[in-house]
Structures are given as C-alpha cells and as structure tokens.
Amino acid sequence: MSNLFTEQNGPQPPKILKAPVEIQANLRLLQQHHDPLIITFHDRNQRFQSYLVEVDRDRGLIALDEMIPNDGERFLRNGETFRIEGFREGVRIAWESLQTVEIGELDGARCYWCAFPQEVIYHQRRNAFRAALKQSQLVAVELDGNKISAALQGQMLDISATGCKLRFEGDQSTRLQPGQLYERFTAKLPFGAVTTTIELRHVHYEEKLGVSFAGVRFHDMSGLVQRQVERFVYQLQREARRFEKDELF
C-alpha cells in the first residue's frame, strides 16, 4: 500500500507545458473547481483576483471573470500585458497574457476574452503534509492587521507546516486582498494560542453557504511558533495514520 505521507509529492522543478491538450486539461481544473486566480500587470505592484469562466480551445480563447478590485479593467483597456497565477492541490499554474484582451459577456455576465495560452508553467511546490481538521476540532482564529478596519473571527479548516485554509462568516472577498500581508494572525491551537504574520493567497465567497474561504501562507514565523505549528500538524498526521490503519482492518 502506498504511504500517503511520503515525500513523493514534494517540490519538483517547474515544467513548461506546450501541448494544447495538456494546457486545456489544467485550465479546465482551475475552471471546474472555481479556483481563484491572481493577476498582476507588468511594472505594477497591485494584485487583482479573478476566475476562469470558459476554456474554448477550438476558438483559441479563454474567458476571465471580472477583476476584484474592478479598477484592473482600466489597465486592460490600456492594452497592458499581465500574468495569471492559480493554485490547484499544491500545484502552481501560471501563464502570461501578451495579446489584446476583448471585454465582452458570457451567459449575460461581463468577462474578459483572452488568447488561449501557448505555454503554461506547471510547478508542483507542496512538500508539507496538509491535515484536514474534523468538524469537532476546528481551531478558532483571528485575522487582524493594519490593512483591516476590524479583526475577523473565523475557523481553521486545514493546516500544513507552511499555511492553512480558513473560513469566515459572510462575504469577506472585498475586505481581504490577495497578496497582502496581515501582521496579526492568531490561531488557538489545543496547547496554546500562536500569533504570526500571514500572506493571503486567495479568498472566495460561497454565496450558497454564506461563508468566505481563504488560503493563507505563514510568513516569517518565529522559531517557537513554527515548532508549535509543526507539533500540531504532526499530531493531526498521527491521528490520520491511525484512522487509515483502523480503516484497513
């Protein structure tokens, strides 16, 4: 039986995908799972969020949802080139849009039609075991910092040695900015609270559930906090192994 906790899925060198069928398959994954995309314009520091809403290989086009914040559309109208970056199961999928973008509609909603990418960077980066927390053991968290007017209270859904997934009530997609550092992230772990800086990787509001999901990466953790996080991840890993063993018998 394969071991779920080996390093076989650890970091790999970036691959450049050039076969249209491979590119389409990976773009489809981002679209189907509604994974948030980070858009950065060349020579600009601001980051924008969007989603892939259509992949049409036959027409040589893809469609992006409206940007958040929406003033990114101004740069599109100026004909500025940009980079698109998404993450799926620890894999970074990125490409550049160097051709003119057409602002249009898809199913009655505003979208941006871009050329189907000629090549895509595929980079398996995750090497840390990611543990999902059971509903009965969700960890309370608080997100605060100079860029937030009031602290956000939420729950941790999963965690690895490098980051975690969070849940907040209500729509927080306009309050939180992907790529932003938040200086005071506190998680109430079973053996004590820890506080560190985090970088927000993505945020998505699930309207049907009325909650927002956010992915964050730990930033500049102190040695003490890192040891506490690793201790918690190891504890969850042991529980998962025990559960896996029980399931076999």
Side-chain angles (χ1 to χ4, degrees):
M1 185 188 70
S2 63
N3 186 347
L4 295 177
F5 308 101
T6 60
E7 295 299 318
Q8 63 185 3
N9 292 321
Q12 304 293 323
K15 298 178 182 177
I16 305 296
L17 306 182
K18 295 187 177 182
V21 64
E22 279 190 299
I23 293 174
Q24 176 179 254
N26 283 281
L27 297 184
R28 285 278 188 211
L29 285 175
L30 294 175
Q31 177 192 358
Q32 291 167 359
H33 289 87
H34 203 59
D35 291 316
L37 305 177
I38 296 173
I39 294 179
T40 51
F41 289 88
H42 295 114
D43 301 322
R44 295 187 184 274
N45 294 324
Q46 190 175 4
R47 294 186 175 200
F48 301 87
Q49 181 173 295
S50 183
Y51 295 91
L52 194 54
V53 293
E54 182 64 282
V55 177
D56 193 333
R57 180 179 151 199
D58 293 336
R59 294 170 58 200
L61 294 172
I62 62 172
L64 300 176
D65 200 5
E66 282 192 275
M67 290 189 196
I68 304 171
N70 60 15
D71 56 348
E73 186 173 307
R74 178 163 46 92
F75 305 139
L76 288 182
R77 291 184 180 278
N78 291 341
E80 297 186 30
T81 57
F82 55 93
R83 171 177 286 272
I84 306 164
E85 179 182 55
F87 293 86
R88 169 107 299 266
E89 299 295 337
V91 176
R92 175 177 175 264
I93 301 171
W95 67 98
E96 294 194 353
S97 180
L98 304 176
Q99 300 181 33
T100 302
V101 173
E102 180 181 337
I103 299 173
E105 287 191 354
L106 180 67
D107 298 328
R110 193 176 189 81
C111 73
Y112 311 123
W113 290 102
C114 312
F116 188 89
Q118 298 299 302
E119 60 180 44
V120 163
I121 297 172
Y122 180 97
H123 191 188
Q124 169 65 264
R125 307 200 306 177
R126 179 178 295 166
N127 65 342
F129 170 73
R130 181 170 291 269
L133 280 71
K134 299 175 184 176
Q135 192 66 32
S136 59
Q137 63 179 176
L138 298 185
V139 170
V141 301
E142 180 177 280
L143 183 60
D144 198 5
N146 299 331
K147 300 294 184 179
I148 304 182
S149 56
L152 283 175
Q153 310 294 328
Q155 295 85 36
M156 179 187 293
L157 303 180
D158 70 27
I159 184 172
S160 74
T162 56
C164 58
K165 183 177 181 180
L166 310 174
R167 179 178 68 194
F168 300 102
E169 292 296 323
D171 185 0
Q172 307 301 334
S173 60
T174 56
R175 292 185 63 187
L176 300 175
Q177 178 69 41
Q180 181 65 55
L181 295 179
Y182 296 94
E183 303 87 353
R184 294 182 295 280
F185 170 75
T186 301
K188 297 180 180 178
L189 302 184
F191 32 79
V194 296
T195 300
T196 188
T197 299
I198 58 93
E199 177 190 0
L200 183 73
R201 298 301 301 166
H202 57 80
V203 60
H204 166 60
Y205 176 55
E206 192 65 52
E207 189 172 358
K208 291 181 181 178
L209 301 176
V211 298
S212 296
F213 297 100
V216 307
R217 179 183 297 164
F218 302 130
H219 184 81
D220 284 345
M221 283 193 295
S222 69
L224 175 61
V225 170
Q226 186 168 357
R227 287 192 295 274
Q228 294 285 70
V229 167
E230 289 174 351
R231 176 186 171 190
F232 184 47
V233 172
Y234 179 66
Q235 176 182 311
L236 294 172
Q237 183 176 356
R238 288 185 62 189
E239 290 177 5
R241 279 176 169 156
R242 192 179 308 120
F243 177 77
E244 181 190 40
K245 189 175 181 180
D246 290 344
E247 286 287 292
L248 291 175
F249 299 97

